[in-house]
Every structure is written in C-alpha cells, then in structure tokens.
Amino acid sequence: MADFWIILTGTLVAATCGILGCFLVLRKMAMVGDAISHSVLPGIAIAFLVSSSRDSLLMLIGAAVLGLITVFFIQMLQQSGLQSDASIGIVFTALFAVGVILISRNASHIDLDLDCVLFGEIAYVQWDTWIWNGYDMGPIAVWMLGGTLLIVLAAILLFYKQFKLCAFDPALAAAIGIPVALFHYLLMGLVSLSTVASFESVGAILVVGMLIIPASAAYLLTDRLSVMIGYSVLIGAISAAGGYYAAKWLDASIAGSMVTVAGGLFLLAFLFSPKHGLIARFGRKQRKRDELHSAAA
C-alpha cells in the first residue's frame, strides 16, 4: 500500500505541474516557475508565525500571495529595463533568503524544517493521514494535491481559449479584449498554489522538475496544445512510477529519481522526436545536402 500512495502522490504532482508547465514553456516563462517555487518560502514562514499552525489553507494563501508578489516584482524590474533572467534571479534569491532568515530565526517557535521544504520526503506521505470521524481517509498530501489538481483543471477548462491565446499571441488577445494581465496573474497564482501544495510532501526540487521537464519533452513531440498537455501529464506520471521503482532499486532519493527519469524521457524526446528531434533534424540537413549535390552534378 505504501508503494501506491507514494506513486499516486508523485503522479498528482506530475499532473498538476505538467498542465501548468505547458503554458509556462509556451510563454518562455519556465524559470518563473522555478522562481515562484523558491520565493513562496517567506509566505509559508509568515503563515506559520501568524497562526502558529500548520494549517494547509493558510499555507496556500501565504504562498499564493508571495507568488503574485514575485511575479509583480519581476514584471516591474523588466519594465524598468532590466533583463528577464536578471530580474528573475534578483527577486527569487532575495525573497528566498528572507524566507530562510525567517525560518532559521524562529526555528524554535515553529514546526517547520527548511530541509523538508527544499527536498521533501515523499516516502513519508503515507504516515501523515487525515482522520475524519474516526476514519482514516488516507494521506493528507493526496487530498491536498488532488484538490489542487481539480482547481487547476477547472481553471484551465473554463478559460482554455483565453489561456491558449495569451500563450501564443498576447498582442492579439489584448486586441480582442481579453484581459491578458489578469490571466497572467491567474496562471502565476495557480503555479503558486501547486508549488506550496507539493512542498511538504515532495519538496521544491521535484516541483521544479515536474513543472519544466515533462512540458519541455511534450513540446518536442507535438505542435497542438491539447496534445502537449496530455503528453506532459503522461510523461510526468511515467516519471513518477519509474522514478519510484528506480529509487527502490538504487536505494536512492525518490524525488531525485523521479526527476532523473523525467530527464531521461526528455533526452529520448530530444533525440527521437519525429519533427523536432536531433536525429530528425540531422536527417533533414543530410537530405538537403544530398539534393544540393545532386543538383550541382
């Protein structure tokens, strides 16, 4: 049963992050997801300090607020003329450092482990269960991640056309009256929620990996957004299951193994994608050279 809960938790993280990751990759904002996953740490710490509770709702609210603040600061620095990568680096390292200081300064007053936030331990999700009216309802992480996935699915399904148009052509979206800024911050808010929902169970490293790698692999395999989302979720789920069994075989970190398997699947897509793969591109170049030689002869 332990295997089931761990793989299910990893799959829920992969599905939630894989859906959002597609829009981040298309908008060339993959590293913004990395920034949010680190900069929400002060929001989590402040929620603990204010409430003296590990209430999941307060964690979600604190993380969402800090995620939106992160995006706002990044946008503000970019508009002032600073390069995108520099803006992201400045904001997320500064906010992350503030979170580290808050946790280390108040470590004796709050039950929050910095290593847990950064690295997580998905192997322990089965032990932290939700007891309702005397019944064991299963791991809290599964309910939390499942609820987050439903929120993400509902938002994407309700506003799929708007998100799609904002990802591919924000200028056209603005021209036809779609509030591009609103959907931008809505996407960032969903990324923040997904990040903090995964923190304690799997850590930031797995979240960042699942936000970027499956979506990037799916990007190489198709030119249709709906298919890309499906591929991204599938690659993430395979990575979660394959990574768990690889970790058992190697006696290694489960989260690290899941991301490693995802990286291996991305490498396969990079090499063998029918249209964008390295081998396919090499073959097209070789055929063009042969055609040029034949024409010259």
Side-chain angles (χ1 to χ4, degrees), residues 99-213:
V100 171
I101 291 172
L102 287 173
I103 291 176
S104 60
R105 179 68 180 80
N106 298 278
S108 60
H109 306 295
I110 58 175
D111 181 19
L112 182 61
D113 183 5
L114 184 59
D115 289 338
C116 173
V117 171
L118 290 178
F119 305 112
E121 187 42 77
I122 195 172
Y124 297 154
V125 295
Q126 57 180 316
W127 306 116
D128 188 12
T129 58
W130 176 30
I131 305 298
W132 184 64
N133 285 342
Y135 293 97
D136 187 344
M137 304 299 292
I140 293 174
V142 170
W143 286 96
M144 194 169 176
L145 290 166
T148 305
L149 176 59
L150 289 177
I151 292 172
V152 169
L153 283 173
I156 298 300
L157 290 174
L158 282 173
F159 304 111
Y160 179 76
K161 291 182 180 180
Q162 290 87 341
F163 277 120
K164 181 178 181 179
L165 194 54
C166 289
F168 285 103
D169 195 339
L172 175 61
I176 62 176
I178 295 175
V180 176
L182 174 62
F183 284 101
H184 172 73
Y185 284 107
L186 177 58
L187 178 63
M188 295 302 105
L190 292 173
V191 172
S192 300
L193 290 175
S194 302
T195 298
V196 75
S198 310
F199 257 155
E200 192 172 0
S201 56
V202 303
I205 292 176
L206 183 58
V207 177
V208 174
M210 290 301 184
L211 270 173
I212 299 173
I213 300 175

Side-chain angles (χ1 to χ4, degrees), residues 2-268:
D3 295 359
F4 170 77
W5 288 124
I6 293 171
I7 293 172
L8 178 59
T9 301
T11 301
L12 288 172
V13 173
T16 305
C17 294
I19 294 170
L20 297 174
C22 291
F23 293 96
L24 293 177
V25 168
L26 288 173
R27 298 183 64 177
K28 297 180 173 63
M29 296 176 63
M31 294 312 297
V32 172
D34 184 20
I36 289 176
S37 69
H38 287 78
S39 60
V40 296
L41 186 60
I44 297 173
I46 292 170
F48 274 107
L49 291 172
V50 170
S51 65
S52 299
S53 168
R54 297 175 63 180
D55 186 276
S56 299
L57 179 60
L58 290 173
M59 288 173 60
L60 289 170
I61 293 172
V65 170
L66 260 294
L68 295 176
I69 289 173
T70 299
V71 176
F72 174 76
F73 282 149
I74 291 173
Q75 292 283 100
M76 185 176 66
L77 291 176
Q78 288 177 353
Q79 290 173 359
S80 69
L82 202 61
Q83 292 182 347
S84 175
D85 54 350
S87 302
I88 293 172
I90 291 169
V91 173
F92 102 76
T93 52
L95 289 177
F96 183 68
V98 170
V100 171
I101 291 172
L102 287 173
I103 291 176
S104 60
R105 179 68 180 80
N106 298 278
S108 60
H109 306 295
I110 58 175
D111 181 19
L112 182 61
D113 183 5
L114 184 59
D115 289 338
C116 173
V117 171
L118 290 178
F119 305 112
E121 187 42 77
I122 195 172
Y124 297 154
V125 295
Q126 57 180 316
W127 306 116
D128 188 12
T129 58
W130 176 30
I131 305 298
W132 184 64
N133 285 342
Y135 293 97
D136 187 344
M137 304 299 292
I140 293 174
V142 170
W143 286 96
M144 194 169 176
L145 290 166
T148 305
L149 176 59
L150 289 177
I151 292 172
V152 169
L153 283 173
I156 298 300
L157 290 174
L158 282 173
F159 304 111
Y160 179 76
K161 291 182 180 180
Q162 290 87 341
F163 277 120
K164 181 178 181 179
L165 194 54
C166 289
F168 285 103
D169 195 339
L172 175 61
I176 62 176
I178 295 175
V180 176
L182 174 62
F183 284 101
H184 172 73
Y185 284 107
L186 177 58
L187 178 63
M188 295 302 105
L190 292 173
V191 172
S192 300
L193 290 175
S194 302
T195 298
V196 75
S198 310
F199 257 155
E200 192 172 0
S201 56
V202 303
I205 292 176
L206 183 58
V207 177
V208 174
M210 290 301 184
L211 270 173
I212 299 173
I213 300 175
S216 299
Y219 178 80
L220 296 174
L221 297 175
T222 181
D223 293 327
R224 293 182 57 193
L225 177 57
S226 58
V227 178
M228 180 182 173
I229 292 174
Y231 280 159
S232 179
V233 173
L234 178 62
I235 291 169
I238 294 172
S239 301
Y244 172 70
Y245 289 111
K248 286 187 67 174
W249 178 54
L250 296 171
D251 191 22
S253 163
I254 297 175
S257 297
M258 288 179 176
V259 176
T260 300
V261 171
L265 294 175
F266 171 80
L267 180 61
L268 291 175

